[in-house]
Amino acid sequence: MAANLPSSGQPNWSSKPAFILAAVGSAVGLGNLWRFPAEAGANGGAAFVLVYILCVALIGAPLLLAETLIGRHGQRSTITSAALLARQSKASSGWASLAVIGMIANYLILTFYSVVAGWVLYFIWTSGGDVLRTIAAGQPFAGAYSNLTVEQVRQQMPDLFADPVKMSIAHFIFAAATTYVVARGVKGGIEVAAVWMMPAFFILLLGITVYAGVTGDFAAGAAFLFTPDFARAVQPEVLNSALGQAFFSLSLGGGAMVAYGAYASRETNLGQTSGIISAADTSVAIIAGLAIFPIVFSVGLAPDAGPTLMFQTLPAAFHSMPAGALVGLAFFVLALFAALTSSVSLLEISTAYLVERFKMARVMAAGLLGTSFFLIGMVSVLSFNIWADHRPLAMVPGFTNANWFDVFDGVTGRILLPLSGLITAIFIGWVADRKLVNEETGLQSGPLLPIWRFLVAWLCPIAVFLILLFGLFPQLIS
Ligand code: TRP
């Protein structure tokens, strides 16, 4: 049926691997390198990792299939595709308007994502200077920041946090780059970048992990990530953080994967690709954890340092690594591309909406949204210095100690994305026409279809609802 729809003129991804790589490009980003280790470290390590993997397998991957199938079926932007499926299922198009929650969540994610990507830019700047310095000194293969002590290397991050001007400039540059790419139209650029950068990134990360494992305290790092304290794993805080991280890392809940699904060809088996994308994204997160925690323990840092973790431990590792200056620069450049392939799709969703709904010119829509997300992001910049003492949601449990940055991160990741995923699960599991949905899954032969239907219709809504409820109101069960 969908095949008879007039094409919306959007080109398909040029091949199935290109679709997978682009979706992985959206999924793999700062969520894996920066947010996953920070969340795991703050929530008991292995307890978090265990719950996280269960969340990805039982909730994330099934919802990834649900989102991509809405997109491929509709072949249009997020909300229009959902509206089409609702109409064909004789359901209210009100279902599609709920997608607005996800769109807003993604827009708010972008405000602080760009701030963190700005930190990456700052480290490109310092490690670029470092490479020039080592070359000038005739030692191009020296370790990173060899003119500094390890303590001074670690101090770079707190120093940056204390400097709102540097942070704003970096945030501005990243926001402008994201806006520029989206204003130009993302398809060609993103696909090319994803196809080349993602494999390169993966190989470099693997190399750094092996080095970290050999030189760091691998046993302590692995024990921290893989020997769970089961009592900790069932704490509502840990469950809620892990669920939020699964949504964040897989780019779920906001419609990005609906938009990407629209570019998958009819031949793509969405059930299979959802599994591949989830597995790839989770592997990158775990490998990043294995690069970071052995170093954390060997240099005596605390694993629960939160957002600073990646920017203090990796430079410390590059410090002593042969050719660490070059490796450090390469790592941050690739991390920047991983962030850019994600940020571009975060901005694309709301831009496409303004273009489609209000017939706005693309450049205008991207410019407006780009300027405003930069300005909102300034609140996060200031929450590390001038407004460090503000606790905007002090009265809300789970947010008592959160600054503005934590509030943007927590409200989107722990509340809005899961809420939007809950609505998607109910829509696909209960409301949408079964036959239309099943045809899109690619799971018809074999036992997977009923399992997937069960996960989407029953497990996802119930588990997400309970985790949201107890995560927000832990007093209900204590
Ligand atoms: N998954 C991305 C990462 O891990 C971040 C992200 C969250 C995202 N939601 C998204 C990216 C939506 C693109 C679209 O870094």
Side-chain angles (χ1 to χ4, degrees), residues 367-380:
L368 269 179
L369 292 166
T371 311
S372 49
F373 92 71
F374 167 73
L375 291 175
I376 300 173
M378 284 305 297
V379 176
S380 291

Side-chain angles (χ1 to χ4, degrees), residues 146-164:
S146 49
N147 55 337
L148 305 179
T149 64
V150 180
E151 286 69 36
Q152 287 170 325
V153 171
R154 262 185 260 150
Q155 190 56 33
Q156 296 184 102
M157 193 69 212
D159 286 349
L160 176 63
F161 279 180
D163 189 337

Side-chain angles (χ1 to χ4, degrees), residues 22 57 74 81 91 130 135 250 272 358 370 375 394 427 467:
S81 293
D130 189 46
I135 292 174
L250 292 174
Q272 196 184 48
F358 300 104
L375 291 175
F427 176 61
I467 294 176

Side-chain angles (χ1 to χ4, degrees), residues 23-36 52 102 105-106 109-110 113 245-257 260 281 338-349 417:
V24 172
S26 163
V28 172
L30 299 173
N32 309 60
L33 302 172
W34 159 75
R35 202 174 186 276
F36 175 82
Y52 176 74
N106 274 4
I109 287 177
L110 192 53
Y113 202 83
Q245 175 61 19
F247 275 91
F248 188 98
S249 194
L250 292 174
S251 306
L252 287 177
M257 288 300 179
Y260 275 31
D281 183 67
L340 197 63
T341 55
S342 299
S343 68
V344 160
S345 60
L346 282 165
L347 182 59
E348 172 64 16
I349 302 157
L417 294 183

